[in-house]
């Protein structure tokens, strides 16, 4: 449970206890039982909200929060120029997102590496658009580490508001390279590698917002 939630429950219990004392009820087992039950109910309610309730269409109709959890499929376009002067062709890429009401985790797969987010945040911009921003650590496969070392970076993608727009954004690394990210297909399944995700046949056009046609 979120630390702020714990603090809120603790403060509510403390205020209730003080009010009971001021009312002359004294300290007995009954207030403590009430506070204990109230804390348990609040904890359960927040846990259900965090994992499930916020996803309900009726709830998201009012909050406007997009549901982007699942696996996205598309391309990564790198600015890297090879020693022979040639650019790198678009790299087929899969992006898995886990999402609760308060946090997200992002894992990006290519055929050569995996990037895992250390911090990710869903942001609602003043212009009304939503974007997912994250910092990551990229770990290449052992077979390619002679030309691609472990590194860090940051990325963000905007969540399209129209059917077919998907996720569009960019990234940069501490190796002074950057590039673009384009994801147009989505699946609710969790894939563990680029190979399985890119071969999957259950991908469709994503509709992250309530009310989309």
């Amino acid at each position: 449970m979120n630390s702020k939630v714990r603090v809120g429950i603790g403060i509510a219990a403390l205020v209730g206890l003080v009010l009971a004392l001021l009312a002359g009820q004294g300290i007995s087992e009954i207030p403590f039982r009430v506070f204990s039950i109230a804390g348990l109910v609040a904890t359960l309610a927040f846990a259900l909200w965090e994992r499930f309730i916020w996803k309900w269409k009726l709830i998201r109709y009012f909050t406007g929060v997009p549901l982007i959890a699942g696996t996205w499929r598309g391309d990564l376009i790198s600015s890297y120029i090879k020693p022979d002067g040639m650019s790198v062709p678009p790299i087929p890429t899969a992006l898995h997102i886990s999402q609760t009401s308060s946090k997200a985790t992002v894992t990006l797969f290519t055929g050569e590496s995996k990037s895992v987010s250390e911090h990710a945040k869903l942001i609602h911009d003043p212009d009304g658009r939503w974007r997912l921003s994250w910092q990551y650590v990229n770990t290449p496969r052992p077979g390619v580490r002679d030309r691609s070392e472990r590194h860090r970076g940051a990325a963000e993608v905007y969540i399209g508001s129209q059917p077919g727009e998907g996720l569009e954004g960019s990234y940069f690394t501490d190796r002074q390279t950057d590039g673009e990210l384009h994801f147009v297909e989505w699946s609710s399944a969790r894939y563990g590698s680029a190979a399985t995700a890119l071969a999957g046949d259950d991908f469709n056009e994503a509709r992250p917002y309530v009310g989309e046609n």
Side-chain angles (χ1 to χ4, degrees), residues 110-114 138-150:
T110 69
E112 294 190 348
S113 68
K114 178 173 74 172
N138 178 279
T139 304
R141 289 173 42 217
V144 302
R145 289 182 186 169
D146 60 326
R147 55 182 172 80
S148 180
E149 293 293 333
R150 190 171 185 266

Side-chain angles (χ1 to χ4, degrees), residues 15-26:
V15 170
L17 178 59
V18 171
L19 291 175
L21 292 173
L22 291 176
Q25 296 180 15

Side-chain angles (χ1 to χ4, degrees), residues 125-179:
D125 285 342
D127 63 3
R129 294 188 299 170
W130 288 86
R131 60 187 166 96
L132 179 65
S133 178
W134 70 99
Q135 292 83 50
Y136 63 84
V137 175
N138 178 279
T139 304
R141 289 173 42 217
V144 302
R145 289 182 186 169
D146 60 326
R147 55 182 172 80
S148 180
E149 293 293 333
R150 190 171 185 266
H151 60 274
R152 295 176 179 271
E156 69 174 15
V157 290
Y158 277 91
I159 303 160
S161 59
Q162 300 298 320
E165 288 184 341
L167 307 180
E168 300 280 340
S170 59
Y171 74 93
F172 66 88
T173 76
D174 60 7
R175 302 186 300 181
Q176 308 303 312
T177 58
D178 55 22

Side-chain angles (χ1 to χ4, degrees), residues 21-39:
L21 292 173
L22 291 176
Q25 296 180 15
I27 298 177
S28 67
E29 291 184 3
I30 294 177
F32 285 111
R33 287 178 181 175
V34 171
F35 301 146
S36 177
I37 293 172

Side-chain angles (χ1 to χ4, degrees), residues 6-93:
R6 293 194 185 97
V7 172
I9 293 172
I11 292 174
L14 180 60
V15 170
L17 178 59
V18 171
L19 291 175
L21 292 173
L22 291 176
Q25 296 180 15
I27 298 177
S28 67
E29 291 184 3
I30 294 177
F32 285 111
R33 287 178 181 175
V34 171
F35 301 146
S36 177
I37 293 172
L40 179 61
V41 171
T43 299
L44 179 60
F46 278 111
L48 290 174
W49 172 271
E50 176 76 2
R51 294 293 303 275
F52 305 108
I53 297 176
W54 76 272
K55 296 180 181 180
W56 296 352
K57 284 190 174 183
L58 179 61
I59 300 297
R60 292 196 298 115
Y61 178 82
F62 292 101
T63 65
V65 177
L67 180 58
I68 55 175
T71 302
W72 294 76
R73 189 164 64 182
D75 294 314
L76 180 155
I77 301 175
S78 174
S79 67
Y80 177 72
I81 301 299
K82 295 185 287 186
D84 61 5
M86 300 294 290
S87 60
V88 178
I91 302 170
T93 303

